[in-house]
Amino acid sequence: QLLYEAARLAFRNGAGPFRSLGKISFRPRAYQLVPLIMALRQDQVRLLIADDVGVGKTIEALLIAREMLERRLIERFAIVCPPHLCEQWQDEIRTKLDIDAVIIRSNTQARLDREIQGDTSVFEYYRFQIISIDYIKSDTRKELFVLQAPELVIVDEAHTATQAVGIASTQQQRHALLLRLSEKKQQHLVLLTATPHSGKPEEFQSLLKLLKPEYATLDLGTASESQRKAIAKHFIQRKRGDVLQWLGDDHPFPQRDAIEKRYQLSPAYAAWFDQLLAFARGMVQNQTGSKHQQRVRYWTALAMLRASISSPAAGAAVLTTRINTLSITADNDLLTSDDMLNPVGDNDSFLDSDSEPTELADQTDWDERQKRQLRELRTSIVNLGTPVHDTKLTELAQQVNTLVAEGFNPVIFCRYILTAHYVGQHLPALLKPAVLRGTEWAVVTSEEPDDVRRQRITTLSGANKRILIATDCLSEGINLQDAFSAVIHYDLPWNPNRIEQREGRVDRFGQPADVVKTCLLYSNSDIDAIVLEVLIRKVREIRKTTGIHVAFPADSQSIIDTITRSLLTSTSQRIRGGEQLELFSDFPDALTQRDTISRDLQAAADREARTRSLFAQHTITNKDIEADLTAVDEALGDPAAVEQFVTTVLRDIWNMQVTVVDLATHRYRINGSVPAAIAQLLKYDDGMHISFASPTPRGATYIGRNHPAVEQLCQLVLAHTIERGPYRAARAAVIRTAAVTSRTIVGML
């Protein structure tokens, strides 16, 4: 049996419907092969894979790349992604495909150039590339990359490269790069995004245009059946509910348990906030100066309110900056049109990660009376930055105490860098001794380079109990499911799409926990109450009842603009929300917006329901794909065969030197002296844990069919069996069976 398994598992070149399955280190789920089948049906691959957050778009893209390599359809491929995702892609390609890809960006370009002989560029020389989209979007590099790009280009987080009127120049440059790439007739292009449609038709159509030029004006709502069937060949969008129908009871997704926690501002903090609101209203109601200056005053007032709700540290910082601001003239237009659209962040494309409140409106005129008021406000809020007065912080501590005591490891998302550091400074002192004991924590923001952030997370992941405090620099693209199982929103995002992105970091394919918990903190201020009721609750309600996350159907900033302008121009002095009806009677614009948004969201949900059957590609059935996978398993070996082979070899062949201890289902501890060749490939330490299950339990090393150690074990067993070495398997066996009626001898030459 060992000899047979060694020969079977040593095969790397598979035939049948999928040639790549012998060269990947995981056993894909049947639904993850659907994009591959769609790609193989196209001469020029153009795919938009818009599966839900956490379904496995990375695996689906890597399957396409590996299969196209094995079929000799391509010789090279490139991953184009935001810079902070480069190392993650490099790790995924190395562990899942056993391919070493180079990262091309500003801090690696010079070293890579030195490794190349002659004048060949990095884009032409390296077969497998991971490229920062912000590095190649500039005009100086864009054309060279387009000219020399690998045959297959996979674009991650493609929604950050859409095109629409009024968006930031950074996003326009990204879109121009992809548009030039899509114009190459033989270019294979795969786009990945969990949020293809932000509610803005122009942006969505700019993505479709990358698939085919004629899709630039296509409206899915009014498209004909033939048009919808045509685009369905290039566009796949599956929600988690679609995937669960494929998997039945065997699915790798946790249950999401979401709660909301309302905290009361302390009397001192509420009184201070009353004073700040009065000051902000005075700014907004000042109608002097140009329209530009009036709008700057409005956004400045809103930034002060929002930062002060976030934390005393952020509030003090924004007030300090306002005090130190120099005067400007009416003609000094220092804010661009892009900034004016969204100066406090939370845009749909998530290009802003950690924007600080102090970045806004440093150009505002202040008189001495206003500066004196600001100084008094700043002094007061600095004194409020303690757990005695900061009930938001104490509510957070209560939630963290509960989660950690129940065995969860939370990620706490903050809007501002200063807030994240403030939480990191004060939270440990509020934790219960039993919770604090053995718990480690880290603060991760965009202040540090990507590699430092990754190292912090990796180090923290090794702790028995852990708490991660982060800003939205980690809310997109980063995989946190291996080490964390809960999300706390310390600050309310003003775009509900960001909530899904944050929670999708831990609630995704590969999460080993059965349940993921999320908690949304909000205050009794009118600002939080309006944002929660108008922007967030309806989206969460639809997701809970239908399993569908509906992208917010409009620009949240324009909605917040309408609502908060009403709040700031109101004569009411009440800022702490009472009953919901009372709140909306005080601010009728908020009620109007809530009803409008509710109707738009319901319409979007209905549209999703109507188009699901088309873009979920239900014409490709689970039964057919699973039959193919089963046939491949029988020929090349499935994960169960790998597990039996590896553990049997270690136990039976090296039984005097190695012990293998069962720990749990598909998980083992290895002790003893492992042969050097195997130890090096395993990165072996005495007592190491290995697992044959995916998702892999924390602290264990995954051993898949394509793991180099498995291949080395196969070769060792085969060679030693033929040469009669010390690590040999049997070359003959006696089998007693009722399947034959007389003694039969079978020989193999």
Side-chain angles (χ1 to χ4, degrees):
Q1 183 69 22
L2 282 180
L3 186 61
Y4 167 71
E5 295 294 0
R8 182 164 69 138
L9 295 174
F11 285 130
R12 288 294 175 264
N13 296 314
F18 307 112
R19 302 180 188 178
S20 60
L21 297 186
K23 292 191 175 181
I24 59 177
S25 292
F26 60 96
R27 204 274 194 180
R29 306 275 175 163
Y31 75 87
Q32 292 171 330
L33 289 170
V34 174
L36 172 59
I37 294 172
M38 294 171 62
L40 294 177
R41 290 174 176 176
Q42 302 176 22
D43 293 329
Q44 179 195 36
V45 177
R46 291 295 171 92
L47 277 184
L48 173 57
I49 304 176
D51 287 345
D52 218 349
V53 172
V55 167
K57 292 182 292 297
T58 298
I59 288 176
E60 293 166 351
L62 292 180
L63 281 170
I64 292 172
R66 180 85 260 186
E67 186 70 22
M68 293 183 74
L69 285 171
E70 293 305 306
R71 291 173 180 256
R72 305 295 176 90
L73 299 174
I74 60 171
E75 293 292 329
R76 305 183 299 142
F77 69 79
I79 309 294
V80 176
C81 62
H84 64 283
L85 298 181
C86 289
E87 282 84 5
Q88 182 169 295
W89 271 101
Q90 188 179 47
D91 291 343
E92 293 284 350
I93 293 171
R94 181 186 299 116
T95 57
K96 290 182 170 59
L97 302 187
D98 195 25
I99 289 176
D100 288 321
V102 298
I103 295 175
I104 303 175
R105 60 186 179 195
S106 56
N107 63 347
T108 64
Q109 174 77 58
R111 175 181 57 81
L112 295 174
D113 282 337
R114 288 193 298 269
E115 296 175 358
I116 300 173
Q117 301 295 326
D119 297 329
T120 307
S121 78
V122 290
F123 304 127
E124 187 176 19
Y125 181 79
Y126 292 101
R127 289 186 64 195
F128 310 116
Q129 311 165 13
I130 303 162
I131 311 173
S132 163
I133 191 170
D134 289 333
Y135 178 72
I136 57 169
K137 72 186 179 189
S138 66
D139 293 336
T140 56
R141 301 186 183 98
K142 177 178 65 178
E143 293 304 324
L144 180 61
F145 172 70
V146 170
L147 180 65
Q148 300 178 347
E151 305 97 318
L152 171 64
V153 173
I154 298 169
V155 183
D156 195 14
E157 306 296 351
H159 60 274
T160 66
T162 56
Q163 181 185 39
V165 177
I167 61 175
S169 58
T170 295
Q171 193 167 340
Q172 295 283 20
Q173 285 182 303
R174 292 180 175 187
H175 181 73
L177 165 69
L178 298 188
L179 188 60
R180 285 282 294 112
L181 202 60
S182 70
E183 291 169 352
K184 293 178 65 177
K185 293 185 177 180
Q186 301 303 316
Q187 182 69 56
H188 302 296
L189 189 62
V190 176
L191 309 174
L192 310 178
T193 174
T195 53
H197 203 311
S198 65
K200 301 175 183 177
E202 300 91 346
E203 294 191 10
F204 179 58
Q205 288 171 338
S206 71
L207 272 183
L208 298 183
K209 183 179 180 180
L210 300 177
L211 304 176
K212 281 191 175 184
E214 56 264 34
Y215 294 158
T217 58
L218 184 64
D219 180 4
L220 294 181
T222 59
S224 66
E225 184 177 354
S226 60
Q227 288 176 316
R228 290 157 66 88
K229 287 184 177 179
I231 197 173
K233 297 177 181 178
H234 303 275
F235 179 21
I236 179 169
Q237 182 178 26
R238 294 171 295 181
K239 304 301 180 183
R240 188 169 297 188
D242 300 310
V243 172
L244 294 180
Q245 291 178 11
W246 276 57
L247 297 170
D249 295 332
D250 177 27
H251 62 82
F253 299 112
Q255 175 186 344
R256 188 184 301 188
D257 183 6
I259 62 171
E260 298 172 356
K261 285 294 180 179
R262 185 175 189 246
Y263 62 92
Q264 300 285 334
L265 294 175
S266 68
Y269 210 112
W272 177 88
F273 198 83
D274 278 338
Q275 298 175 34
L276 180 65
L277 180 65
F279 181 86
R281 282 173 170 165
M283 291 176 55
V284 173
Q285 293 168 5
N286 178 5
Q287 298 299 309
T288 62
S290 66
K291 289 184 178 180
H292 171 75
Q293 287 177 308
Q294 293 174 29
R295 187 155 182 81
V296 168
R297 282 196 293 267
Y298 164 66
W299 279 118
T300 302
L302 188 55
M304 289 193 297
L305 292 173
R306 189 178 186 192
S308 299
I309 284 290
S310 175
S311 69
V318 73
L319 293 175
T320 300
T321 302
R322 302 293 81 80
I323 293 169
N324 297 329
T325 298
L326 299 177
S327 297
I328 62 166
T329 66
D331 297 329
N332 191 0
D333 188 358
L334 296 180
L335 287 181
T336 67
S337 60
D338 290 343
D339 294 325
M340 294 303 293
L341 282 175
N342 189 9
V344 291
D346 282 7
N347 61 23
D348 289 329
S349 62
F350 309 114
L351 290 176
D352 62 312
S353 56
D354 294 358
S355 298
E356 282 297 89
T358 56
E359 295 175 3
L360 175 66
D362 287 347
Q363 307 86 8
T364 305
D365 272 321
W366 303 102
D367 59 31
E368 286 303 319
R369 180 182 61 83
Q370 290 172 316
K371 287 187 177 181
R372 184 176 64 256
Q373 289 178 290
L374 286 172
R375 283 192 291 268
E376 292 172 354
L377 287 168
R378 180 189 60 184
T379 300
S380 297
I381 195 174
V382 169
N383 295 331
L384 293 173
T386 66
V388 175
H389 300 295
D390 191 353
T391 52
K392 181 181 183 181
L393 188 63
T394 54
E395 179 62 39
L396 171 68
Q398 182 176 337
Q399 295 304 315
V400 171
N401 279 324
T402 300
L403 288 172
V404 175
E406 293 176 352
F408 291 91
N409 297 295
V411 182
I412 302 167
F413 277 108
C414 306
R415 180 66 185 92
Y416 301 118
I417 294 172
L418 290 171
T419 299
H421 288 301
Y422 171 81
V423 171
Q425 177 185 357
H426 292 286
L427 179 62
L430 299 176
L431 298 180
K432 294 179 179 179
V435 171
L436 187 61
R437 192 179 306 114
T439 299
E440 296 187 15
W441 63 88
V443 177
V444 176
T445 74
S446 63
E447 296 169 296
E448 297 173 321
D450 296 334
D451 56 341
V452 175
R453 290 184 235 166
R454 289 171 58 83
Q455 185 56 48
R456 281 183 177 275
I457 295 171
T458 300
T459 301
L460 184 63
S461 299
N464 184 41
K465 297 186 293 184
R466 50 208 172 274
I467 301 169
L468 175 61
I469 303 162
T471 54
D472 281 310
C473 67
L474 297 185
S475 69
E476 189 173 43
I478 300 295
N479 295 335
L480 299 175
Q481 73 273 15
D482 291 337
F484 300 95
S485 52
V487 171
I488 299 176
H489 303 277
Y490 193 67
D491 293 324
L492 280 181
W494 285 8
N495 186 322
N497 297 339
R498 179 158 289 184
I499 290 182
E500 184 66 19
Q501 287 287 345
R502 287 176 174 181
E503 296 178 356
R505 298 310 98 217
V506 299
D507 181 8
R508 61 192 298 110
F509 180 89
Q511 169 60 254
D514 294 329
V515 176
V516 163
K517 290 200 173 184
T518 69
C519 178
L520 197 64
L521 298 181
Y522 68 101
S523 71
N524 63 324
S525 71
D526 284 342
I527 293 179
D528 276 5
I530 289 173
V531 169
L532 184 66
E533 181 65 25
V534 176
L535 296 180
I536 295 175
R537 278 193 172 140
K538 185 64 176 180
V539 174
R540 292 167 72 92
E541 177 188 335
I542 290 174
R543 189 192 188 284
K544 183 177 181 180
T545 56
T546 68
I548 299 175
H549 171 69
V550 179
F552 200 68
D555 182 359
S556 63
Q557 288 307 303
S558 65
I559 296 166
I560 284 292
D561 192 359
T562 300
I563 296 171
T564 53
R565 186 175 293 278
S566 172
L567 184 150
L568 289 173
T569 56
S570 171
T571 58
S572 171
Q573 294 302 308
R574 184 183 61 84
I575 62 95
R576 289 172 297 286
E579 293 298 324
Q580 188 180 105
L581 293 177
E582 180 186 356
L583 169 67
F584 287 109
S585 65
D586 280 357
F587 306 110
D589 284 345
L591 179 61
T592 301
Q593 288 286 4
R594 183 193 65 176
D595 294 342
T596 300
I597 291 169
S598 181
R599 288 193 299 269
D600 290 346
L601 282 170
Q602 192 58 56
D606 293 342
R607 182 180 66 244
E608 289 278 355
R610 289 194 303 269
T611 60
R612 258 172 112 178
S613 61
L614 178 62
F615 295 118
Q617 275 67 27
H618 286 305
T619 55
I620 302 174
T621 66
N622 176 32
K623 181 179 179 181
D624 294 339
I625 297 179
E626 193 61 46
D628 289 334
L629 284 174
T630 301
V632 172
D633 289 342
E634 292 175 355
L636 301 180
D638 59 8
V642 176
E643 178 178 356
Q644 183 179 16
F645 172 74
V646 172
T647 55
T648 302
V649 168
L650 293 177
R651 279 175 171 150
D652 293 353
I653 292 186
W654 291 301
N655 59 343
M656 298 300 293
Q657 301 169 326
V658 178
T659 58
V660 180
V661 180
D662 288 25
L663 298 178
T665 305
H666 311 304
R667 185 174 179 180
Y668 304 85
R669 183 177 68 246
I670 308 176
N671 298 300
S673 178
V674 174
I678 306 299
Q680 183 178 3
L681 295 173
L682 280 177
K683 298 180 181 178
Y684 174 72
D685 288 323
D686 191 26
M688 78 175 293
H689 291 191
I690 63 173
S691 174
F692 301 90
S694 180
T696 306
R698 188 177 65 87
T701 298
Y702 175 66
I703 306 296
R705 184 185 185 281
N706 202 39
H707 193 288
V710 175
E711 185 171 7
Q712 186 64 31
L713 278 175
C714 292
Q715 298 302 332
L716 275 174
V717 170
L718 288 170
H720 281 256
T721 301
I722 294 172
E723 299 170 1
R724 297 185 178 275
Y727 306 136
R728 64 180 180 269
R731 298 177 63 181
V734 176
I735 301 173
R736 185 187 298 273
T737 173
V740 296
T741 56
S742 60
R743 185 177 64 185
T744 304
I745 299 174
V746 179
M748 182 176 66
L749 299 178

